[in-house]
């Protein structure tokens, strides 16, 4: 019976992992910029394009359907061309595995960085995730897999728990749960529950770590303790260096030398300027003596 359930579970997992054709990200990752800024301990959020991704986006009302932890080069894990595996992730049907950064170059991604995390705790978080490589996903748990096959309308208050619903085996986890547990081991907050306990004299806030199975990829994006790092602007951005395929730069005689907008011409003064009588008149300027006419004399009287 166990082998039958395992076979059915693998078939469901294979169906859920199939990519949906026609996916085209609005802003795919820039490989060079991404490689240059991502650091160990950073969380890489991914907008996936397989069937399970679409369901997670619906249940979480978010762009992000997958999360991976960047830990740096992992010993003994590399691609055939020599590219090292630097990501730890948990996938349905595969479990916890390693992956190269180039795996997500074609996708829309976001880097979330824990603020103020010490070097020692950062190393602990990465080591926790690396030590869980090989943990599997229980394909025998048909209930745990079948929940993704029926994207029926679900009330908002139940959606988060629907993702967490399953066997509860700590060795079988989803992507965000793995990363949440890694940060939990150093007591770094993601979205802690805040309980306000008040007395007549004082009030205090108590932070509670949520159950790791209740975390979703978008939680790292909206967390007040994670910084969103955008690879294209972190080292400076010059919009004037962009080349637009559908528009050319304006001609110099049209746009001017210093900008695309012509300088505003100064309007003439409303009150005539007073003549400076102390300024000598150049010798080359002819001076004419004006003799008043008789009519001007009469008006002067």
């Amino acid at each position: 019976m166990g082998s039958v359930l395992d076979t059915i579970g693998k078939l469901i997992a294979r169906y859920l992992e199939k990519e949906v054709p026609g996916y085209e990200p609005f802003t795919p990752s820039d490989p060079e910029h991404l490689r240059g800024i991502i650091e160990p301990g950073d969380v890489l959020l991914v907008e996936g394009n397989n069937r399970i991704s679409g369901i997670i986006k619906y249940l979480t009302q978010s762009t992000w359907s997958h999360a991976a932890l960047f830990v740096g080069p992992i010993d003994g894990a590399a691609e055939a061309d020599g590219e090292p595996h630097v990501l730890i992730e948990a996938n349905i049907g595969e479990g916890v595995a390693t992956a190269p950064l180039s795996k997500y170059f074609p996708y829309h991604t976001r880097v979330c960085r824990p603020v103020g995390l010490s070097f020692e705790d950062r190393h602990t978080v990465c080591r926790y995730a690396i030590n869980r490589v090989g943990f599997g996903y229980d394909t025998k748990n048909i209930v745990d897999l079948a929940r993704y096959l029926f994207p029926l309308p679900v009330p908002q208050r139940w959606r988060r728990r629907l993702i967490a619903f399953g066997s509860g085996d700590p060795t079988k986890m989803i992507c965000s749960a793995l990363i949440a547990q890694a940060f939990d081991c150093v007591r770094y907050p993601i979205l802690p529950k805040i309980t306000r306990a008040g007395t007549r004299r004082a009030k205090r806030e108590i932070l509670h770590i949520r159950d790791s199975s209740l975390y979703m990829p978008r939680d790292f994006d909206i967390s007040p303790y994670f910084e969103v790092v955008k690879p294209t602007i972190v080292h400076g951005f010059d919009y004037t260096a962009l080349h637009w395929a559908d528009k050319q730069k304006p001609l110099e005689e049209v746009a001017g030398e210093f900008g695309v907008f012509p300088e505003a011409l100064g309007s003439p003064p409303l009150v005539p300027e007073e003549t400076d009588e102390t300024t000598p008149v150049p010798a080359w300027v002819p001076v004419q003596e004006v003799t008043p006419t008789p009519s001007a004399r009469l008006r002067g009287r």
Side-chain angles (χ1 to χ4, degrees), residues 139-193:
T139 54
K140 297 185 183 68
N141 190 353
I142 304 302
V143 176
D144 205 23
L145 285 170
R147 59 186 169 165
Y148 297 115
L149 294 177
F150 308 101
L152 300 175
V154 180
Q156 183 75 28
R157 65 183 183 275
W158 293 349
R159 289 177 182 173
R160 182 182 289 265
R161 292 192 176 273
L162 182 62
I163 292 180
F165 181 71
S167 63
D169 190 329
T171 64
K172 304 173 180 71
M173 60 193 72
I174 60 175
C175 59
S176 51
L178 167 67
I179 302 174
Q181 289 181 10
F183 283 102
D184 185 20
C185 74
V186 297
R187 308 303 290 175
Y188 190 88
I190 302 172
L191 283 179
K193 293 184 294 185

Side-chain angles (χ1 to χ4, degrees), residues 166-220:
S167 63
D169 190 329
T171 64
K172 304 173 180 71
M173 60 193 72
I174 60 175
C175 59
S176 51
L178 167 67
I179 302 174
Q181 289 181 10
F183 283 102
D184 185 20
C185 74
V186 297
R187 308 303 290 175
Y188 190 88
I190 302 172
L191 283 179
K193 293 184 294 185
I194 299 177
T195 302
R196 290 181 173 85
T199 63
R200 293 181 179 181
R201 294 185 178 181
K203 291 184 178 181
R204 58 181 178 150
E205 292 184 349
I206 305 174
L207 300 181
H208 298 275
I209 300 297
R210 295 180 187 268
D211 185 83
S212 61
S213 63
L214 296 180
Y215 279 101
M216 302 181 292
R218 76 163 188 179
D219 291 340
F220 298 96

